[in-house]
Each structure stands twice: as structure tokens, then as C-alpha cells.
Amino acid sequence: MSRVDLNLLIALDTLLSERSVTRAALRLDLSVSAMSRTLARLRAATGDRLLLQAGRTLVLTPYAEQLSQRIPALVREAEVALGRADPRLEIATLEQRFTVRAGEGFVDLLGAALIERVRQAAPGVQLRFAPKPDWNAQPLREGNVDLEIGIVKTSAPEVRTRLLLRDRYVGVCGVGHPLLIEGNVSLERWVAYPHVAISRTGQADDPVDAALELSELQRHVPIVVPSYTSAIQLARQSDLLAVVPHSCLGNAFLPDYAAANGVRPFELPLRVPAFNVSAIWHPRLDRDPAHRWFRAEVSAVCSAAYPHAYPQMADSDVRQSRS
């Protein structure tokens, strides 16, 4: 171990993040000259320039770009491994903030029930819901997000997942929409009306369109929105039809959610595959007592909200993602 200075990992992590010797020195409370010497040591250790001058800024070399995907998680895991181990967890006095990345539907439908349950057990805990613009696992790797809720679409092989509920898609329209007044919802009548589509990334990845490829019919989509809650509001205020998860229509805590939002559900006239909603986290948090407790609270809320769609699983049933 005499040839390996693990302190260099901290410096490398900071340099890759800041892309500036001056800012990295400030974060680590070092002089700029000391930070420059550390960068020289890192270059000698890795055999790569790591940071190169580009005008007035520094840019990462291709190898440094690769390291930037691995080093943050490695540093966080080292900090956890070398921190003081304390298996005892006093929930009542726990003071911690959990950052959760979830869609607007989860926040609207389960946010209040989750924070109420958490506050009863641990009044010092704060929940922070972060936007979910994509399925990139980097925020989990870097520790910026503690838990993600949704469909497992990340390509990160190391993330851990736990199935929360099995969901399916249904159609919704405004109260009084002629589609439901006129009788049976056939595929031909369904595609005859304009639709609002949902795409978080703006790409054409809607499972409904994939299912429609099996038929010779196409739907007219004059508008695309990033969330199911927005689609529900548009359907309420217009003649647009929307396709949303069944869980967005309400739950045991909010049984009249769909009616309160002025929409009526109906079964789709085509087969769209069901899907899993999971909790997703980085493996460095697997054995963290506070995180295990929080995962259990999220699972319990989903169980109570959707008892017929909830898989009975213990925390030991978590598995590594292969998707």
C-alpha cells in the first residue's frame, strides 16, 4: 500500500467535478500551488493528462471523462466504509434529509401519505423530491439522490431495485366526453379523437404507439407533455384523450382523485403491456440503517395505497438491476 495514496482519490474527485485547479483548491482548503502539485501527482499516477487547457478553462481528457463516471461513487463508498460503524438507529431522534427522484404523479398521490407516516416515526426527517427529467443513474451514483421511484430504465448494472407495485395503463377523458356517451369504446372510435401523449424526454417512446404499430390505425397527437398529471388536466379541459397509469386515478388515500380532477377512466381498446414501479438506489446504501428504514416506509405506503397491486416482498428480496 506504500505506493498508493488514497487521499489522491479525494483530490481527483474534486478536480473532475470542479474542472478548475483554483476551485478545487478552495473546496479542499489547499493553496493553488499545492493543488497544482497534487494534479501533477495524479497525472504521474494515471499516466494521463486528465485536465487540459482550452482557452481560459480546463476540459477533461477522454480518460478523465471515464473516471468521472466511477470516481464519485468510489469516494462515497470509501467514506462509508471508513466511517464509524454504528448499527443502532434511533428513529425518533433521526435527523436526516432523504432526496427522492420521482414523477409528479407519485408526489401528488403519495407525497402527503408518505411524509405523514415519516413524521409520526421520525419528526426530524425531511423529504426532498427532485425532478425526474430522465432515467440517468448518475445522480444515484454521485449521492445527489438517495432513492428513485419509477420504471427501471437505467443501464447502470450496479443499481439495486425493489418492486413496489404492478401497474397498467388506462384511458381517461373529460366528464361528458362523447367517446363514452356514444357507447362502446372501439379502437376505431378511440383513434378518431385527438390525443395528448406523455414523454418525459421529448422522444417518441410512448408504449401506446408501440402497441398501435400492430394495427393499421394511427392516432392524432397534437400535443406532448412531460407528465401524466399534465395530461390529466389537459384531458379535463378539452376533448383530448390521454393514457395514464391506473395508479394515477387514485388510491386508498385518495379514492376520488379522478373524479375530483374532472376525468373519467375507461379500458383501452388495445393491449398495452403492464409495467413495474420500483424503488431504485445505489448499492452503497444497501446496509445503511436509516436508508433501509426509509425504503421500508416507502414500501409500506405503496402497500397501503395499492393493496391489490402490491407484491409482498421483504427487504431481502431486493435484486440487482440487469435492465
Side-chain angles (χ1 to χ4, degrees), residues 267-281:
E267 295 297 326
L268 294 174
L270 78 165
R271 186 184 298 276
V272 181
F275 58 95
N276 295 332
V277 176
S278 301
I280 311 163
W281 67 94

Side-chain angles (χ1 to χ4, degrees), residues 43 76 98 106 122 143 159 172 187 192 205 225 235 297:
R43 284 169 169 168
R76 306 299 177 266
F98 293 98
F106 183 90
V159 299
V172 295
L187 183 59
D205 56 357
V225 295
E297 294 301 291

Side-chain angles (χ1 to χ4, degrees), residues 35-198:
M35 197 73 242
S36 295
R37 290 193 298 271
T38 301
L39 176 57
R41 292 180 61 196
L42 284 165
R43 284 169 169 168
T46 62
D48 188 85
R49 296 283 291 167
L50 299 176
L51 292 161
L52 298 175
Q53 198 74 35
R56 296 184 177 181
T57 63
L58 295 177
V59 297
L60 302 186
T61 66
Y63 180 61
E65 289 282 3
Q66 295 178 25
L67 289 178
S68 69
Q69 304 296 313
R70 300 162 47 201
I71 295 299
L74 184 60
V75 170
R76 306 299 177 266
E77 289 181 10
E79 290 173 343
V80 171
L82 298 178
R84 182 176 295 275
D86 186 0
R88 296 171 301 174
L89 179 64
E90 298 293 339
I91 296 297
T93 58
L94 179 64
E95 293 188 2
Q96 187 167 333
R97 182 174 72 177
F98 293 98
T99 299
V100 183
R101 191 165 70 160
E104 295 86 343
F106 183 90
V107 180
D108 289 353
L109 287 149
L110 293 178
L114 179 59
I115 190 57
E116 180 62 25
R117 183 182 177 91
V118 166
R119 286 172 62 192
Q120 289 181 4
V125 166
Q126 181 192 52
L127 301 187
R128 175 182 176 269
F129 282 100
K132 186 176 179 179
D134 51 41
W135 291 270
N136 191 340
Q138 200 60 27
L140 290 171
R141 288 169 165 167
E142 295 176 352
N144 296 324
V145 170
D146 298 301
L147 192 69
E148 182 167 337
I149 308 295
I151 301 174
V152 181
K153 288 189 176 182
T154 177
S155 59
E158 77 272 23
V159 299
R160 303 282 283 176
T161 68
R162 177 179 181 175
L163 183 62
L164 295 175
L165 61 98
R166 183 77 172 162
D167 211 344
R168 63 187 181 89
Y169 290 104
V170 295
V172 295
C173 62
V175 175
H177 195 287
L179 176 70
L180 300 186
I181 295 176
E182 294 171 2
N184 182 52
V185 180
S186 65
L187 183 59
E188 291 75 11
R189 293 184 58 243
W190 180 68
V191 298
Y193 290 95
H195 289 234
V196 51
I198 299 90

